[in-house]
Amino acid sequence: MEKNASILVVDDDKEIADLVEIYLVNDGYQVLKASDGEQCLQTLKEHPEVRMLILDIMMPKVDGITVLKEIRKRGNLIPVLLLTAKSEVDDKVLGLEIGADDYITKPFN
């Protein structure tokens, strides 16, 4: 992905979202943030320049699995990295089966 590309970070844990933002900005990316799935879907509509989505699963209003299903249903093939505390094999399999490109569990290094 080209430097200066926009990445949308979606997490209801502000500290995690801020930490991810720091790493991405320091690596040359533009970062947008949302704190729930509903905000995520709205931000994707308003910002077609977003080139990647880093998405938590357990969030208020609309969870990450529902968000992922919705964007894939719309035909949006944006790369999606699920970043979540849900670490069971079944959770990982579900996330990847519905269209995530990768799955990382929290805490992460």
Side-chain angles (χ1 to χ4, degrees):
M1 184 168 49
E2 70 277 1
K3 292 293 180 174
N4 211 24
S6 292
I7 298 174
L8 176 56
V9 177
V10 187
D11 201 312
D12 61 326
D13 184 327
K14 184 177 176 354
E15 288 182 19
I16 297 271
D18 290 347
L19 179 63
V20 172
E21 178 183 28
I22 289 167
Y23 281 106
L24 292 171
V25 167
N26 285 339
D27 207 28
Y29 296 100
Q30 300 292 318
V31 175
L32 298 168
K33 293 190 290 186
S35 60
D36 61 58
E38 189 175 277
Q39 253 186 354
C40 171
L41 293 170
Q42 186 62 38
T43 301
L44 286 172
K45 282 182 189 176
E46 294 172 359
H47 295 275
E49 74 276 10
V50 170
R51 295 290 172 252
M52 182 178 179
L53 181 58
I54 299 176
L55 181 64
D56 188 15
I57 291 178
M58 296 181 292
M59 296 183 296
K61 297 184 182 177
V62 179
D63 66 87
I65 294 296
T66 302
V67 168
L68 181 55
K69 286 179 180 178
E70 181 62 29
I71 64 173
R72 292 302 188 236
K73 184 174 85 174
R74 295 177 185 175
N76 188 335
L77 300 178
I78 187 172
V80 175
L81 169 67
L82 290 176
L83 179 61
T84 180
K86 294 182 69 108
S87 60
E88 296 297 320
V89 172
D90 291 346
D91 296 320
K92 293 176 184 179
V93 169
L94 174 63
L96 295 170
E97 282 181 345
I98 63 170
D101 294 280
D102 207 346
Y103 193 110
I104 297 176
T105 56
K106 300 175 194 174
F108 57 94
N109 295 323

